[in-house]
Amino acid sequence: MKSLIIKEIIREYEHDRLRADNLLSAKRDEIYEKIPRVREIDKILSETSIQISKKILSDNSELDTLIYYLKTKNEDLIKEKNQLLHKNGYIDDSFAYKCKICKDTGYVGNKKCRCFSQKMIDKFYEFSNLKNVLNKQNFSNFKLDYFPTDISDDRGISSRKNMEYIYKRSIYFIDNFKKLSINILMTGEPGLGKTFLCSCIAKEVMDKGYTVLYLTSAQLFKQVEKARFDDSSKKISNDYINMLYDVDLLIMDDMGTEFSTSVTDAEFFNIVNTRIMEERSTIISTNLNLKNFGDHYTKRVVSRLVGSYEQWYFFGRDIRRTIKFG
């Protein structure tokens, strides 16, 4: 997935440089028309390079002397050119570039320009399936006040205290992303904040420069079926399936609400198992408890989740009655 995004960004840079070249070419023609001396200087500078090349190929006995002479001459010409441009209001060429730092190359020396990193983050948002919701579903809108303080008879703590723990684990997950391979299984009734928290985590991970893909169980298994049975869209769906294995963070929401088959069950296990083996973090959210989850999926899936996933249990009252998450 990341290589596809990088290729797309490189194509954008190529387009931006072509655009800049066209703007600069038009500006150069304007300058030559308005200041003919600049055209003469550019011609002389170009001929200087040709002179040096010919001298290197034929006889380099006096090369150092020639280079020194031409260099001095060039410096005088460049100084004259800059004075003419400045006098006529042509300050620099930065107007043509979207990024004045790297001049739309994406690199400053051997290092990626900060505009490249920003493009990566923007693309991650597009690929994540979360671009339109993260303005509302993020930690700046996360409030423990939404969760009641009364003690649960079953759990022995309040849902607010439980969410304090889950919040702290979320921050730990984000702070240690890629340093540690952590997988999370969120369980609990609808309306308790699982999807909201998934979005919060996704935003923070993407802002750190990692790829995230969010999808519901319905979206997941629809792509699996297309990849296996629909010849007309098999190529696209196979690429999508590959993303499920390769993305830095995969979030699968509402698991257990889909109609599963032996094919989808097998693919689901392969995704879970492969990502565990390759130490790629995954978050699974479900309204099912662990027992019902075991009734819906195969024993080997449940075994991998129990053995390799942190279990975050959400309980309390439906907070969507108090706050609309978007």
Side-chain angles (χ1 to χ4, degrees):
M1 179 179 178
K2 190 174 290 186
S3 63
L4 293 175
I5 292 174
I6 290 173
K7 286 179 182 178
E8 185 172 346
I9 290 174
I10 290 172
R11 285 196 295 271
E12 289 181 4
Y13 276 122
E14 290 172 350
H15 178 270
D16 290 342
R17 286 199 301 275
L18 179 60
R19 169 185 166 278
D21 287 345
N22 290 335
L23 288 172
L24 292 172
S25 177
K27 181 184 177 183
R28 185 173 60 250
D29 292 343
E30 177 187 320
I31 291 171
Y32 284 171
E33 180 70 24
K34 187 175 181 179
I35 318 170
R37 175 56 180 163
V38 172
R39 184 199 296 268
E40 294 174 8
I41 291 172
D42 282 348
K43 183 179 180 182
I44 294 170
L45 291 173
S46 176
E47 290 172 348
T48 297
S49 298
I50 296 173
Q51 283 181 265
I52 293 174
S53 298
K54 286 182 177 179
K55 189 66 177 176
I56 291 172
L57 293 173
S58 58
D59 176 18
N60 60 9
S61 58
E62 300 178 0
L63 184 60
D64 291 340
T65 302
L66 176 63
I67 289 177
Y68 178 78
Y69 166 74
L70 292 176
K71 181 181 178 182
T72 303
K73 181 181 177 182
N74 283 358
E75 288 175 351
D76 292 339
L77 288 170
I78 291 170
K79 183 178 180 180
E80 180 188 354
K81 176 182 174 180
N82 289 337
Q83 289 174 342
L84 287 169
L85 292 174
H86 193 274
K87 180 180 178 180
N88 287 273
Y90 297 103
I91 306 302
D92 58 47
D93 294 334
S94 62
F95 78 94
Y97 302 104
K98 289 186 177 180
C99 179
K100 296 176 175 58
I101 298 173
C102 69
K103 294 187 175 180
D104 297 340
T105 63
Y107 286 84
V108 180
N110 294 324
K111 294 183 178 180
K112 287 189 179 71
C113 181
R114 65 189 181 195
C115 70
F116 195 111
S117 300
Q118 186 59 52
K119 282 178 178 287
M120 289 282 287
I121 292 171
D122 292 342
K123 293 298 180 184
F124 294 166
Y125 271 68
E126 292 176 13
F127 275 94
S128 71
N129 286 335
L130 288 168
K131 187 176 182 180
N132 296 325
V133 302
L134 293 185
N135 288 333
K136 294 181 179 179
Q137 297 188 11
N138 56 67
F139 277 122
S140 64
N141 293 320
F142 179 89
K143 294 180 175 60
L144 288 170
D145 295 345
Y146 298 147
F147 302 91
T149 57
D150 48 301
I151 305 298
S152 165
D153 293 336
D154 295 335
R155 308 297 295 185
I157 60 172
S158 67
S159 61
R160 182 177 297 183
K161 198 69 177 176
N162 183 58
M163 284 307 300
E164 285 180 11
Y165 167 77
I166 290 175
Y167 171 79
K168 290 177 181 177
R169 291 304 300 170
S170 299
I171 299 303
Y172 182 83
F173 175 89
I174 294 162
D175 288 344
N176 292 279
F177 191 77
K178 280 293 186 180
K179 299 174 190 173
L180 301 174
S181 176
I182 301 174
N183 302 296
I184 300 164
L185 174 63
M186 301 182 184
T187 63
E189 296 293 325
L192 299 178
K194 297 187 301 297
T195 297
F196 183 87
L197 190 60
C198 285
S199 298
C200 291
I201 293 172
K203 182 180 188 306
E204 296 299 320
V205 171
M206 283 189 287
D207 285 349
K208 292 181 73 169
Y210 296 106
T211 55
V212 177
L213 182 61
Y214 167 94
L215 67 170
T216 64
S217 62
Q219 292 170 326
L220 167 64
F221 291 113
K222 181 179 180 181
Q223 293 299 329
V224 170
E225 290 175 349
K226 279 187 176 182
R228 300 297 175 260
F229 305 117
D230 187 351
D231 290 336
S232 63
S233 60
K234 185 169 288 189
K235 174 63 172 67
I236 296 174
S237 296
N238 277 330
D239 289 341
Y240 198 92
I241 296 297
N242 290 336
M243 290 183 196
L244 302 177
Y245 289 91
D246 297 338
V247 68
D248 293 323
L249 173 61
L250 174 63
I251 301 176
M252 296 182 279
D253 198 12
D254 276 342
M255 295 304 295
T257 59
E258 77 289 342
F259 176 77
S260 60
T261 66
S262 58
V263 173
T264 56
D265 283 348
E267 192 70 63
F268 181 43
F269 173 78
N270 288 337
I271 293 167
V272 168
N273 189 58
T274 300
R275 291 185 64 82
I276 291 171
M277 298 297 291
E278 295 182 355
E279 298 186 342
R280 299 181 188 274
S281 293
T282 306
I283 297 176
I284 295 175
S285 168
T286 179
N287 297 331
L288 303 174
N289 59 39
L290 198 56
K291 179 182 180 302
N292 292 334
F293 199 82
D295 294 336
H296 197 84
Y297 296 104
T298 63
K299 289 182 180 180
R300 62 178 186 163
V301 167
V302 176
S303 175
R304 295 303 275 148
L305 298 184
V306 170
S308 303
Y309 277 62
E310 286 191 16
Q311 296 177 42
W312 296 1
Y313 180 63
F314 291 66
F315 65 90
R317 63 170 178 258
D318 189 338
I319 56 177
R320 288 179 297 194
R321 298 174 185 176
T322 307
I323 180 72
K324 185 177 181 182
F325 283 151

